Amino acid sequence: MSLTVADCLKLPSLRESSVVSGHKGLNKIVNSISVLELVDSDMLSNRQLFTPNELLLTAFTSIKDDVNAQCHTIEMLYESGDVGIVLYYVGHFLPEINEKLIAKSNELSLPLIAMPYNRMDLGYNDVISDVMEAVFLNHQKESRYVNQMLERISQLPKHQRTLGNVIQMMSIHLKSSLLLTDTSSRCICFVKWPVTSPIDAEALLSPFQASDHSRDTEDAILLLSLPGESKMKAYCIPFTDVPYRHLRLLALDTMGTLSKNSLFQAVELLQLFSSIWKCNIDSMQLDALIPAILGDSPDRVYNIAQAFHLDIASINTMLLVNLKDETQSLVQNQHRLEHLAKIARNELRILERPAIADVYNKLLVIFLSYSTVSKNDLNIRHTLMESIFEVEPEASFTIFTNLEDTLHVQKMFLLYTEYYKYSTQIYPLRKLFTTYELIFARECRKLQMESRKRTEENILECLNPLFKESDGTDLLQTLAVYWLDADSDTKKTGELMFLHRNTIQYRLNKIKKILNYDITSMPEAYMVYRAIGIYRMMGLSS
């Protein structure tokens, strides 16, 4: 029998706790426990960790007064594989459990479990000890783990049911680094355990190649020597997932507890996973291409590209599509993005443009070859955007061109994840962003943060003459719309503000006189432009 969240609630240390919300997730399997003390929402958004079937203990101390951050945090924890959250010190550090947090928990079917209220004498150690002992005893009872693993996989959201996640779950269970290859020794998936291990795919694979076991149909065992480690057993188990497709599972016996029987079960699990969820290694390997590119894994990218005859070298542009409207559930948003991915792939196929399009980290990611000076390429981009706008009119696009390698791609993706939200605050009407808007948002955000540390510095000082005017708010709003929304077009500014063009021109002339700047001349007026961006970002402009 598997240990579930409901079973954990019967343990001595959790008997006095109460389930606040997310009751539908009480049947989910628990396989580990962890503590989250200091919460950094941006870090959680950017992390690539998958922690399957983890029960998490927290007091939300660092975000106790920020309900939106609490909701975002449990959403990210759910995405990482957590199956339940135990809240400590409610009524003390955490004043209350907000209704918004309860609603998010119910939406995710992620149980929120509250320890007794107003109790400061309760520590994490009792729950950690009880749960880990229960997990250990449960593992001891089950010599055959395939059925439990299948149940755990079935409980994963559809978009988390990937080959990489399944192999990672097996790696954690077996406490072993695992490598899946084809008979050409091409790496399909590699997961190391523990994550600090010095082993890499090549170090695990090369001894079998050197000993002529690379194409054998019989399983093999070798002794490997790693830097700073004693010799360890390494296993190679050949198998087929579909007729005529030969694969191999390699495993490193890190703890000295691995057996052929447990590896045969791992192979059986991979075969069942492929059969039950109609997943073949080809499609799953192609699905891994975008994570490999964004994860800066050039060898992995090369292997997948070779397998599918993709000309990766010609790809120089990344296009990110954000739904913007995320009022629906995570699952519904995922379905919307998957639908957009199909539209993008079909449209690019019709346009005969080689490209890769898939869903990643709540975004539609498209890689393609693109030239900013080609009229044909510009038409392709417009056609693609129009097709997506027909289905998702509120979607926004961010384009990165002239990408040199996977490291460059990763840097641009990180720039996006950190500063896209600030770009939308500065340019709320924009549907297409580029690298430059994100860099500008980064500069504005850093100046804003630095000014908080140096309170004597006023980053909006150059706008003070406008603040002093009786109609200063109107003037600032006009300047913000003129520069940030209307591309310095007086007619468009008037349309957006529902004012006559002459009124806009009058206000702009007045601004020039007050500031003694020619606001149409750059870079002289750049300091004012930047101040207007920060003014917008701080929410001072309606």
Side-chain angles (χ1 to χ4, degrees):
M1 289 290 291
S2 302
L3 180 73
T4 65
V5 177
D7 293 330
C8 290
L9 295 176
K10 299 173 186 176
L11 297 171
S13 58
L14 285 168
R15 282 177 190 158
E16 299 303 315
S17 65
S18 56
V19 181
V20 179
S21 53
H23 292 77
K24 290 182 179 178
L26 290 173
N27 66 327
K28 289 183 178 177
I29 296 169
V30 175
N31 197 56
S32 64
I33 189 165
S34 186
V35 173
L36 180 68
E37 202 60 81
L38 294 175
V39 179
D40 183 332
S41 295
D42 289 336
M43 179 193 73
L44 285 172
S45 299
N46 299 333
R47 75 174 187 164
Q48 304 300 317
L49 285 176
F50 178 59
T51 52
N53 303 93
E54 181 179 80
L55 186 66
L56 189 108
L57 313 183
T58 186
F60 281 151
T61 310
S62 61
I63 53 171
K64 59 185 179 64
D65 299 316
D66 190 341
V67 177
N68 289 331
Q70 293 169 21
C71 291
H72 179 66
T73 296
I74 70 166
E75 192 172 15
M76 293 302 101
L77 292 171
Y78 169 82
E79 283 292 307
S80 295
D82 287 62
V83 294
I85 297 173
V86 181
L87 291 175
Y88 274 74
Y89 313 130
V90 180
H92 188 82
F93 285 138
L94 187 66
E96 62 177 357
I97 302 176
N98 191 278
E99 289 297 325
K100 191 174 180 181
L101 183 64
I102 291 172
K104 176 59 71 175
S105 162
N106 285 326
E107 175 195 320
L108 301 172
S109 295
L110 181 65
L112 274 185
I113 301 159
M115 295 299 280
Y117 285 49
N118 295 307
R119 290 281 299 274
M120 287 299 296
D121 58 325
L122 301 174
Y124 295 155
N125 57 317
D126 290 339
V127 174
I128 292 172
S129 298
D130 275 0
V131 172
M132 285 313 300
E133 184 180 8
V135 169
F136 177 75
L137 291 174
N138 186 64
H139 285 179
Q140 290 289 94
K141 291 176 186 176
E142 292 193 350
S143 58
R144 180 171 169 77
Y145 63 85
V146 173
N147 291 337
Q148 187 200 79
M149 278 287 186
L150 287 173
E151 188 178 357
R152 289 173 61 188
I153 294 166
S154 70
Q155 291 179 352
L156 291 174
K158 184 180 177 182
H159 66 280
Q160 289 182 350
R161 218 174 286 145
T162 65
L163 175 68
N165 284 348
V166 170
I167 291 182
Q168 185 165 344
M169 290 165 71
M170 291 195 305
S171 173
I172 294 169
H173 181 84
L174 297 172
K175 294 180 172 54
S176 168
S177 296
L178 298 178
L179 170 64
L180 183 67
T181 77
D182 59 17
T183 51
S184 299
S185 297
R186 188 166 49 225
C187 172
I188 296 172
C189 185
F190 174 64
V191 177
K192 62 181 180 179
W193 188 95
V195 292
T196 54
S197 171
I199 191 78
D200 58 24
E202 183 61 28
L204 182 54
L205 180 61
S206 56
F208 289 97
Q209 292 175 306
S211 60
D212 295 327
H213 285 294
S214 58
R215 296 179 184 275
D216 281 0
T217 55
E218 297 295 327
D219 50 272
I221 305 175
L222 294 176
L223 286 176
L224 265 64
S225 296
L226 299 177
E229 303 276 356
S230 57
K231 287 189 176 182
M232 299 180 190
K233 283 183 181 178
Y235 294 79
C236 178
I237 311 292
F239 70 101
T240 59
D241 72 321
V242 293
Y244 311 113
R245 170 185 286 288
H246 298 285
L247 302 167
R248 293 177 304 149
L249 181 66
L250 283 71
L252 183 66
D253 190 4
T254 311
M255 298 290 289
T257 56
L258 207 55
S259 67
K260 278 191 178 182
N261 177 55
S262 59
L263 289 174
F264 290 148
Q265 289 187 57
V267 164
E268 181 186 351
L269 181 62
L270 288 173
Q271 292 169 325
L272 288 169
F273 172 67
S274 176
S275 174
I276 294 171
W277 283 283
K278 308 300 180 188
C279 299
N280 65 72
I281 300 299
D282 276 342
S283 65
M284 288 187 287
Q285 192 178 0
L286 189 57
D287 290 344
L289 183 54
I290 284 179
I293 294 172
L294 293 172
D296 186 28
S297 303
D299 292 340
R300 181 93 173 96
V301 172
Y302 175 78
N303 288 335
I304 298 173
Q306 287 287 98
F308 291 91
H309 309 291
L310 298 174
D311 183 12
I312 289 291
S314 68
I315 291 176
N316 63 356
T317 298
M318 174 171 66
L319 193 62
L320 303 178
V321 183
N322 190 307
L323 289 179
K324 210 168 185 179
D325 171 25
E326 293 188 350
T327 54
Q328 298 182 32
S329 70
L330 275 173
V331 174
Q332 289 172 319
N333 288 334
Q334 182 72 16
H335 288 163
R336 289 163 65 193
L337 286 168
E338 287 172 355
H339 181 53
L340 291 186
K342 289 180 182 177
I343 291 173
R345 284 192 286 264
N346 290 337
E347 197 66 58
L348 290 165
R349 193 178 299 116
I350 292 169
L351 295 168
E352 298 182 344
R353 176 54 53 101
I356 306 161
D358 211 342
V359 179
Y360 179 82
N361 200 24
K362 299 199 290 187
L363 296 167
L364 169 60
V365 182
I366 302 170
F367 286 103
L368 71 163
S369 173
Y370 178 81
S371 170
T372 55
V373 296
S374 166
K375 188 175 181 180
N376 181 52
D377 284 13
L378 191 63
N379 290 334
I380 287 174
R381 193 191 78 193
H382 285 159
T383 302
L384 179 61
M385 290 177 66
E386 286 169 5
S387 299
I388 288 176
F389 280 140
E390 284 181 12
V391 181
E392 294 286 350
E394 296 302 313
S396 71
F397 292 75
T398 306
I399 188 167
F400 300 90
T401 57
N402 301 320
L403 299 174
E404 298 170 358
D405 51 31
T406 55
L407 181 59
H408 192 185
V409 172
Q410 190 182 38
K411 286 180 178 177
M412 292 300 100
F413 190 77
L414 187 60
L415 177 72
Y416 175 89
T417 56
E418 290 183 352
Y419 296 103
Y420 169 74
K421 65 180 178 182
Y422 301 113
S423 297
T424 59
Q425 291 168 6
I426 297 170
Y427 306 101
L429 301 183
R430 194 157 296 196
K431 290 295 187 75
L432 177 64
F433 295 86
T434 69
T435 312
Y436 305 106
E437 283 83 23
L438 293 171
I439 291 173
F440 179 66
R442 179 178 64 187
E443 183 181 354
C444 291
R445 177 62 175 167
K446 286 185 175 180
L447 281 171
Q448 182 190 11
M449 296 306 292
E450 287 172 10
S451 70
R452 288 179 180 176
K453 296 174 184 175
R454 302 193 297 269
T455 53
E456 72 280 359
E457 181 181 339
N458 182 1
I459 54 174
L460 301 182
E461 189 175 2
C462 60
L463 300 179
N464 280 347
L466 295 177
F467 284 124
K468 293 175 182 177
E469 295 292 316
S470 59
D471 59 347
T473 302
D474 290 339
L475 296 177
L476 285 162
Q477 176 71 358
T478 302
L479 190 55
V481 174
Y482 174 74
W483 263 340
L484 305 176
D485 300 329
D487 297 321
S488 303
D489 185 319
T490 52
K491 182 181 178 183
K492 189 175 178 181
T493 304
E495 291 170 353
L496 291 172
M497 298 187 72
F498 302 102
L499 294 172
H500 194 276
R501 183 177 182 177
N502 290 345
T503 303
I504 300 300
Q505 193 60 59
Y506 167 78
R507 289 184 180 180
L508 293 175
N509 289 333
K510 185 175 181 179
I511 290 168
K512 289 179 187 179
K513 291 178 182 177
I514 294 170
L515 295 179
N516 198 24
Y517 274 109
D518 180 0
I519 60 173
T520 62
S521 178
M522 292 288 180
E524 290 90 339
Y526 180 72
M527 189 165 63
V528 182
Y529 181 87
R530 188 176 60 192
I532 285 292
I534 297 170
Y535 175 77
R536 263 273 179 92
M537 197 172 67
M538 292 170 68
L540 300 175
S541 171
S542 59

